[in-house]
């Protein structure tokens, strides 16, 4: 078998056999197939796509390129969650303890932020002492004891994806549904959970800019998960505007704790409850309605918050910061971005606001960049709010004034004020299961 022929077949819109896909992935991971040949194949896939069988074979080959984690040492149904990435998307910090407080098991490996999107591991590391690297036994013990553990991705989880993603990133082949779906689902299958809830974002801050593309990606990923024997559901949620008010690592932990204490932002609370209810549904905790009630009760009675604190303590973190936010380290400099006119907030571009957070030091331009856990921003005006000239639109936090100067320009361009009240988008557009797509405005 020759990589040249495999590229030629896909270039001519042919269908690759299982053996050809396994040959390409195996050879690429062990260094027999050079980057330039894999880059050519990726571009051919970008143009010509793959059918369902090809995507499943690709995903399985990528999953099996490293460790396939066995979670059987953890009692009960293990439910994973994955977001395709967003700005201010701190829902994992909220839904994981809700699900654990209701009897589900969340053994979750999360990623770091890259570009304008944040990552759960960076947020967790803003909690003093919190360890995101545990031995496998510590990970299992924490889930058995607390109902959840949130850690970083193990080094050898789907190494094919790591290599392929790096190549896609520099060959303009990231935005391809077969490649995104296989990338995400290979890691989910390798992580060993029984059920998977996918949060597929759509809008200016998401990979999938349109609802139709987001639904197509969701359908592809749900089919892969179900085909591999994992119950899988996807919600399509909005990422045209950031979720909640706070963007930046420690700031997002604080905002998540406010939701767990029952006084969080409405949009963030609503999306988190729906995600948690769907995870509980996948874990057979009742009908969706029952699961919504369970999730709300876990917030109202404080068990979700206490569950999160217990996990933080079990992983070496100082949970007192979650009760007294003044104990979090603070950014030395802050600045208000003020409205220049009266009117309505007509645009809060999620991607540009995410970039503002990166400029402030809260995110990474490249994988190697370091982040400042105190940096970020708090929005005071969201889409559709009324403003008067001079009102604060947002407070920016950073290490120095030069960062604030650049971030202020970026934030100002991300927000538009208009005399006309805009139509605000729904928070959740659709729910996708193997056999059904329910579209709604939630
Ligand atoms: N997230 C991933 O893990 N992979 C992609 O290709 C895109 C988003």
């Amino acid at each position: 078998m020759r990589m040249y022929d495999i590229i030629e077949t896909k270039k001519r819109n042919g269908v690759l056999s299982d053996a050809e896909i396994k040959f390409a992935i195996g050879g690429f991971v062990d260094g027999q197939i050079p980057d330039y040949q894999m880059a050519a194949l990726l571009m051919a896939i970008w143009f010509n796509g793959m059918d369902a069988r090809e995507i499943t074979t690709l995903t399985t080959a990528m999953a099996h390129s490293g460790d396939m984690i066995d979670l059987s040492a953890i009692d009960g149904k293990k439910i994973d969650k994955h977001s395709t990435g967003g700005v201010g998307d701190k829902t994992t910090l909220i839904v994981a303890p809700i699900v654990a407080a209701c009897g589900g098991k969340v053994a979750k490996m999360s990623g770091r932020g890259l570009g304008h999107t944040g990552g759960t591991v960076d947020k967790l590391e803003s909690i003093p002492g919190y360890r995101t690297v545990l031995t496998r036994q510590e990970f299992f013990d924490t889930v058995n004891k607390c109902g959840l553990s949130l850690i970083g991705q193990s080094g050898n989880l789907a190494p094919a994806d790591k290599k392929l993603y790096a190549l896609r990133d520099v060959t303009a082949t990231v935005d391809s549904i077969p490649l995104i779906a296989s990338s995400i689902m290979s890691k989910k299958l390798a992580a060993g959970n029984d059920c998977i809830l996918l949060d597929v974002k759509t809008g200016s801050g998401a990979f999938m800019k349109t609802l139709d593309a987001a639904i197509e990606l969701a359908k592809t990923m749900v089919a892969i998960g179900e085909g591999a024997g994992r119950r899988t559901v996807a919600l399509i949620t909005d990422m045209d505007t950031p979720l909640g008010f706070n963007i930046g690592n420690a700031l997002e932990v604080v905002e998540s704790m406010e939701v767990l204490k029952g006084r969080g932002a409405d949009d963030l609370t609503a999306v988190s409850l729906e995600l948690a209810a769907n995870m509980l549904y996948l874990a057979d905790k009742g009908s969706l309605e029952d699961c919504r009630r369970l999730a709300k009760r876990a917030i109202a009675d404080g068990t979700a918050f206490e569950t999160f604190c217990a996990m933080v303590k079990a992983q070496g973190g100082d949970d007192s910061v979650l009760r007294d936010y003044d104990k979090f380290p603070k950014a030395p400099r802050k600045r208000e971005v003020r409205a220049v006119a009266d009117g309505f907030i007509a645009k809060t571009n999620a991607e540009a606001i995410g970039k503002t957070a990166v400029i402030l030091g809260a995110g990474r331009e490249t994988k190697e960049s370091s982040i400042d856990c105190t940096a970020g921003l708090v929005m005071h005006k969201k889409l559709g709010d009324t403003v008067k000239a001079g009102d604060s639109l947002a407070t920016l936090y950073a290490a120095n004034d030069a960062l604030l100067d650049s971030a202020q320009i970026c934030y100002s361009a991300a927000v538009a004020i208009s005399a006309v009240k805009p139509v605000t988008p729904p928070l959740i557009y659709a729910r996708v299961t193997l056999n059904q797509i329910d579209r709604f405005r939630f």
Side-chain angles (χ1 to χ4, degrees), residues 82-84 161 165 168 174 179-181 183-184 187 207:
H82 183 86
S83 156
T84 56
D161 176 60
Y165 196 92
R168 287 167 58 207
V174 169
L179 297 178
I180 295 175
S183 163
I184 291 173
K187 289 172 286 201
F207 275 112

